[in-house]
Amino acid sequence: MLEPIRAQSGTEVSVAVLEPGTSRRAVYGSQRHITASLAKVNILAALLLRAQREGRSLTSWETSTAASMIQSSDNDSAGALWRRIGRGPGLTDANKVLGLTSTEAGSGSHWGLTRTTATDQLTLLTAVFADRSPLSEASRDLIQTFMGRIDADQDWGVSAEGSRWHLKNGWVQRSHSQRWAINSMGRVEAHGRTFYLVILSHGSPSMSHGISAVERAAQSAVHAFCRTSPPVSPIIR
């Protein structure tokens, strides 16, 4: 079903989708992708887990920096919190708690070069939005609040298929190939149903082509779920 997307733009796409109300899920693509700014949700989850272990809430500086990192996708804020969590080793430790098994943290200061799979990011979304989670209710509420207040110029990706959404996007042009990695994930409400949705991609010739491919993949995934009756899985092939 996703082959036309790849053929039209040369974009390689991975998709993971879960309908929490029915526990139906499907995954297309197992390869690792560069996260770019998608890693910022993971960084915030790691920061909140650290604060939980220390028995405290985030400081006012941590909270305002996290808000800027998620809502405006500010890279300086991400770098500051990356250092606060202990860089790559800190992210790796947090991911063991969160249940992410195929995510490789970026080295040194390169948080945006973290590699991940659609399945792992679906696991992260579940930790952010589901009641059964290593993240406390207060921690989940904070991430959800920020993901629901994304700057207007970043309202694309999984929000293309939904009337209400919480999301985070990531995008970067690779220096060696000049091709784009474009990613989007979040919780969307569409056709009276709720979905956790992850779209990872690389190889697009431009940012606009990548966004179009990601949005078509999001629409295809949701439409496929809505066309089938539970408990059919997987439904993305």
Side-chain angles (χ1 to χ4, degrees), residues 14-87:
S14 294
V15 179
V17 58
L18 168 70
E19 186 176 16
T22 64
S23 298
R24 297 169 63 220
R25 58 180 290 153
V27 176
Y28 172 91
S30 60
Q31 67 266 45
R32 284 179 177 171
H33 296 255
I34 294 294
T35 55
S37 289
L38 216 65
K40 292 168 181 175
V41 175
N42 205 174
I43 293 170
L44 180 51
L47 178 69
L48 288 163
L49 285 176
R50 176 176 176 173
Q52 288 176 199
R53 288 195 305 271
E54 296 171 352
R56 65 175 181 87
S57 301
L58 296 189
T59 67
S60 58
W61 175 83
E62 287 171 334
T63 301
S64 62
T65 303
S68 177
M69 176 177 71
I70 301 296
Q71 295 173 192
S72 300
S73 204
D74 182 72
N75 289 339
D76 289 339
S77 297
L81 294 182
W82 178 250
R83 294 188 292 273
R84 178 63 65 98
I85 67 169
R87 302 182 185 243

Side-chain angles (χ1 to χ4, degrees), residues 38-46 91 95 98 100 103 121 124:
L38 216 65
K40 292 168 181 175
V41 175
N42 205 174
I43 293 170
L44 180 51
L91 190 76
N95 285 345
L98 293 165
L100 278 64
T103 296
Q121 292 307 292
L124 178 58

Side-chain angles (χ1 to χ4, degrees), residues 14-17 118 121-122 125 158 184-186 196-200:
S14 294
V15 179
V17 58
Q121 292 307 292
L122 187 62
L125 280 180
V158 297
S184 184
M185 71 176 189
Y196 303 162
L197 187 57
V198 178
I199 315 291
L200 307 179

Side-chain angles (χ1 to χ4, degrees), residues 203-230:
S204 291
S206 68
M207 185 173 177
S208 61
H209 275 84
I211 290 174
S212 294
V214 163
E215 292 186 338
R216 288 197 301 272
Q219 291 167 339
S220 295
V222 170
H223 291 173
F225 260 74
C226 292
R227 284 197 305 267
T228 59
S229 300

